[in-house]
Amino acid sequence: MSVIREELSTRLGSEAAAWLGAALADAHAAAPPYQDLAEPPARDTASLDVPAPEPAAGNGVPPARDATSRRGVPAWELRFAAAGRVCSGPEAAEAARVLLLRTARPDAAAVARLYDHGTGAERRAVLLALPHLPLTPGQGVALVEDALRANDTRLVAAAVGPYAAAHLPAHAWRHAVLKCLFTQVPLAAVAGLADRARGDGELARMLADFAAERTAAARPVPDDLHHALSLALAAKEA
């Protein structure tokens, strides 16, 4: 994570970079111990040993002094919500939120809470962070499935990442591929497409039906569909 932290810091102003360091310190303080790992990852001290600055005039973001705020909400979660106001641009805010999640390593209940009460941008950050969180297999599937029901293409693109590739059941994953085609999300966003699609006869049938429906309606068939169909019709590797 230190590389991501350094790259993000170069895109932030000095005040925002200091805020991020303090936010990561809050997240680290709230993180559970690495009880299930043989060797915990090295601590990114460069991103944590930064004092919490006083808020810049007009940004409305109070410094988090304790691990838990007066409202009983973990301080890092308040930082998570505030990232959009502090970091310049949606990409920087998203990267900051993903870093906070990876540092805090919240449990399934906290992850679901952040997703359920989050904005679209906050939900996307949760989805992107899922592969790096200490969840038992499948605990994030409900969040992925919820995002796939949305009409927000940025959420759909985030939902079909590595977590979905590893944990989404076959039927739901096939429909996720169709959802991408229907909403014009490039299939390049679908992690593990070549591995999961290869030799999948049911996916091939669904793709062929979708293509036939588009052709009958005099609508163009996405080029991505032909690529996915060729994978689904290919023989599985031994």
Side-chain angles (χ1 to χ4, degrees), residues 137-178:
Q139 281 185 324
V141 166
L143 305 185
V144 170
E145 291 178 336
D146 179 83
L148 289 171
R149 290 191 291 270
N151 292 321
D152 185 336
T153 56
R154 285 176 55 81
L155 279 184
V156 173
V160 293
Y163 191 87
H167 301 294
L168 203 61
H171 181 72
W173 185 83
R174 294 180 188 117
H175 280 278
V177 173
L178 267 293

Side-chain angles (χ1 to χ4, degrees), residues 42-145:
R43 180 181 174 183
D44 181 10
T45 54
S47 66
L48 301 177
D49 298 333
V50 181
E54 293 298 326
N59 71 4
V61 183
R65 305 290 184 185
D66 305 300
T68 304
S69 72
R70 293 178 181 177
R71 289 178 287 172
V73 179
W76 76 268
E77 291 191 24
L78 297 180
R79 304 276 199 180
F80 181 86
R85 299 195 301 274
V86 179
C87 300
S88 56
E91 292 183 359
E94 180 175 279
R97 287 176 172 134
V98 172
L99 275 174
L100 283 171
L101 286 163
R102 293 180 64 173
T103 302
R105 306 193 330 276
D107 61 19
V111 172
R113 180 174 66 250
L114 287 171
Y115 180 89
D116 291 340
H117 298 288
T119 63
E122 291 166 14
R123 289 185 170 196
R124 179 176 159 84
V126 170
L127 293 167
L128 293 174
L130 284 179
H132 309 287
L133 302 182
L135 306 178
T136 59
Q139 281 185 324
V141 166
L143 305 185
V144 170
E145 291 178 336

Side-chain angles (χ1 to χ4, degrees), residues 2-3 13 22 36-37 52 77 128 136 142 146 195 197 233 235:
S2 59
V3 174
D36 57 341
L37 298 179
E77 291 191 24
L128 293 174
T136 59
D146 179 83
D195 290 334
L233 292 174

